[in-house]
Amino acid sequence: MGENIFKKELDRETVFRDKDAISPHFIPKELPFREKQINEITKNLAPALKGKKPNNLFLYGKTGSGKTVVTKHVTGELMDYAKKNKEGVKCFYVNCRNHNSKYKVMIKAVKEAFPEENFLGYSAGFIHDKLIEFINEGKQLVMVLDEIDKVKDLDELIYSLSRSNDEVNKGGLSLIGISNNLMFKDRLDPRTKSSLCEEEMVFPPYNAEELRAILKQRVELAFKKGTVEETAINLTAAFAAQESGDARTAVMLLQRAGEFADSKGVSIVGEKEVEESKKKVEEEVIFNMISTLPEQQQLVLKAIADLSLHSKGIRRITGREEFGVLYSGEIYDRYKDFAKNYNLNVVSSRWYRQYINELEMYGLIVTTSSGKGIKGQTRLIKLGFDAKKISNAIEKELER
DNA sequence: CCTCCACAGGAAGCGCAGGAGT
DNA sequence: ACTCCTGCGCTTCCTGTGGAGG
């Protein structure tokens, strides 16, 4: 009673100083351990300032290895310089997850070139001509295509872009392609490949020590002084290093840990908060996995969860006693019951085995071949995560 | 040792949807 | 707009495998 709820919310104690600085989209001024990559990209793009077309560039590296952030940093600097010196250089960034076709990318490009005009609905030919017109004024256009593997007709896109360069006598168009999928290059037309990969660069994952330094830098920007314990940073770095050196998840983990501290009204972020936030992230990952699973696989998983909850639990396997181990056959029987209850069709046992294999690949279950003590040959199946949580998650999904 | 059990997983083929070709 | 093709999810059929039990 009394105090306004918004005032209360705003007055709330927080460990953050500038929360943006720990969001995954933030681009820090300093990018440690990426000097080499920054230099190379800079060297590659510099000719644009002298009116020469830079080489096309292909950047590869796992998620959270700094590809996007480094590229945005360098192109930002380039634009700064160009603006001050009135050079005819323009950079723009496209995430191909949202712009996943040649047409969409081209639209984005001309919109960038002529910001005051609207091009939606125009023919592909018109768009192409418009782009040529822009470059022909002697300008250099640098396109950054993030997640470039998501473009459906990439061969055509790259072909028509490189053809554009032949059609103009001044100016040029170059691109920086970014991907975390190295395999996708093999699916490309050889000409596309050689055009896109005039220069290539690999971004290695960060190790624990590097992650620690990155986190420290971000903590300084985003958190109030003394609110984050050293051990919390170390633990976060260790977690993220385990998970393939992804700096983005590291940053997210710490952000969440801070939010946890705030919501609990604690003024210091310690190991406990980091652990809690990791647990939460993991749960979300599991839930996301389950919700993208086909209905039938959800049923199989539910059968496994249900049996591990309600069976006697302990079984004697090769002398040892193990908890929550199930036979393939009993799971199939339970699955059939579930499917009938939900009025869904029942797949054959052969296909059920296929499901089991896939669930194992996703890491949701663990399987072993049966050994001594069990008649016949079967697979022993165990849930990879807490049965109750999985069971609840599937329950929610099935009541869609 | 042989047979049976309780499966594992390969091969072939079927029906269907959605994209390419014309 | 039409066919044709291809990939996908699935069933059917089949052979293989390691231990239990007589």
Side-chain angles (χ1 to χ4, degrees):
Chain A
M1 42 148 83
E3 211 173 354
N4 181 291
I5 50 174
F6 284 100
K7 179 168 169 29
K8 213 164 133 193
E9 178 63 32
L10 289 175
D11 286 349
R12 200 180 188 139
E13 273 301 310
T14 172
V15 293
F16 294 111
R17 193 169 66 144
D18 175 12
K19 213 170 156 183
D20 286 342
I22 193 111
S23 101
H25 308 290
F26 182 76
I27 303 173
K29 288 250 169 345
E30 303 282 320
L31 293 163
F33 315 110
R34 290 287 108 113
E35 293 85 3
K36 197 176 133 225
Q37 283 81 2
I38 291 173
N39 275 340
E40 269 185 59
I41 299 177
T42 307
K43 230 180 250 170
N44 190 67
L45 288 182
L49 292 167
K50 292 179 199 150
K52 290 222 174 83
K53 176 189 148 5
N55 279 331
N56 290 339
L57 185 58
F58 178 65
L59 307 182
Y60 163 74
K62 292 196 173 168
T63 45
S65 57
K67 305 177 298 291
T68 303
V69 90
V70 161
T71 310
K72 279 188 169 173
H73 172 74
V74 176
T75 52
E77 293 275 302
L78 177 65
M79 292 292 278
D80 263 10
Y81 184 90
K83 220 176 252 168
K84 271 183 209 140
N85 298 279
K86 297 206 166 26
E87 300 278 356
V89 178
K90 197 132 198 173
C91 294
F92 75 98
Y93 172 90
V94 193
N95 189 317
C96 300
R97 200 201 302 235
N98 312 321
H99 303 268
N100 57 357
S101 69
K102 175 189 164 187
Y103 184 69
K104 284 181 184 167
V105 171
M106 294 293 275
I107 289 269
K108 185 104 193 324
V110 286
K111 246 194 178 154
E112 205 70 32
F114 304 95
E116 61 288 342
E117 294 179 54
N118 194 4
F119 295 98
L120 267 175
Y122 283 79
S123 78
F126 179 80
I127 303 285
H128 179 85
D129 293 344
K130 203 77 185 164
L131 199 61
I132 300 269
E133 182 192 320
F134 178 77
I135 303 169
N136 230 347
E137 290 167 23
K139 297 206 169 113
Q140 288 293 333
L141 190 59
V142 180
M143 296 172 55
V144 179
L145 301 179
D146 206 346
E147 303 193 56
I148 193 168
D149 48 317
K150 296 283 171 355
V151 178
K152 282 180 284 186
D153 44 2
L154 188 60
D155 282 322
E156 273 112 276
L157 174 64
I158 297 205
Y159 174 70
S160 88
L161 289 182
S162 70
R163 211 185 41 179
S164 305
N165 274 319
D166 300 336
E167 279 177 43
V168 297
N169 23 28
K170 286 187 293 176
L173 198 161
S174 51
L175 49 97
I176 300 179
I178 303 178
S179 173
N180 54 19
N181 182 354
L182 195 55
M183 300 302 276
F184 104 99
K185 265 191 353 182
D186 301 331
R187 295 200 313 262
L188 294 176
D189 186 297
R191 281 171 303 170
T192 310
K193 199 167 148 186
S194 69
S195 171
L196 171 63
C197 308
E198 286 172 345
E199 300 283 338
E200 279 183 69
M201 203 180 296
V202 177
F203 281 63
Y206 297 105
N207 62 35
E209 195 48 45
E210 291 167 343
L211 286 168
R212 216 168 61 84
I214 291 170
L215 286 173
K216 248 185 150 167
Q217 167 213 29
R218 294 294 195 93
V219 163
E220 219 130 281
L221 294 169
F223 287 85
K224 287 179 186 160
K225 245 199 172 84
T227 52
V228 182
E229 281 178 4
E230 190 84 17
T231 51
I233 296 178
N234 294 344
L235 189 63
T236 313
F239 278 151
Q242 262 173 33
E243 306 265 334
S244 73
D246 180 348
R248 178 160 43 189
T249 53
V251 166
M252 263 174 58
L253 220 52
L254 207 55
Q255 179 190 10
R256 274 163 182 278
E259 284 164 3
F260 257 117
D262 275 2
S263 72
K264 284 195 299 189
V266 178
S267 60
I268 283 183
V269 181
E271 282 181 321
K272 209 172 140 223
E273 281 71 30
V274 173
E275 249 151 44
E276 259 177 275
S277 102
K278 193 201 177 202
K279 222 169 112 192
K280 185 112 185 264
V281 168
E282 262 172 10
E283 265 170 40
E284 274 166 29
V285 168
I286 296 174
F287 186 80
N288 280 337
M289 266 187 121
I290 288 176
S291 62
T292 56
L293 242 38
E295 206 168 44
Q296 290 284 342
Q297 288 190 33
Q298 291 178 358
L299 278 178
V300 172
L301 202 58
K302 182 165 164 54
I304 299 171
D306 196 68
L307 281 170
S308 10
L309 279 175
H310 298 116
S311 69
K312 296 106 261 169
I314 299 159
R315 283 223 167 105
R316 207 172 290 271
I317 312 292
T318 47
R320 271 190 321 170
E321 286 193 342
E322 284 222 42
F323 187 80
V325 179
L326 306 166
Y327 299 156
S328 174
E330 61 181 345
I331 295 170
Y332 184 57
D333 290 340
R334 179 61 60 96
Y335 150 79
K336 280 193 286 191
D337 293 342
F338 277 146
K340 278 176 206 153
N341 281 350
Y342 282 96
N343 247 338
L344 297 165
N345 56 323
V346 179
V347 299
S348 65
S349 64
R350 176 67 189 88
W351 202 242
Y352 152 79
R353 271 169 244 144
Q354 198 66 34
Y355 283 158
I356 291 290
N357 286 336
E358 280 171 37
L359 289 175
E360 183 177 27
M361 282 207 306
Y362 298 143
L364 288 165
I365 59 173
V366 185
T367 80
T368 358
S369 261
S370 64
K372 277 184 182 166
I374 297 161
K375 52 184 169 168
Q377 197 200 357
T378 182
R379 267 165 108 177
L380 304 173
I381 295 162
K382 225 177 137 176
L383 218 47
F385 301 93
D386 184 67
K388 206 150 218 159
K389 274 177 198 152
I390 288 194
S391 181
N392 290 341
I394 299 171
E395 202 74 45
K396 259 186 239 160
E397 273 304 310
L398 288 171
E399 312 292 339
R400 31 139 220 156

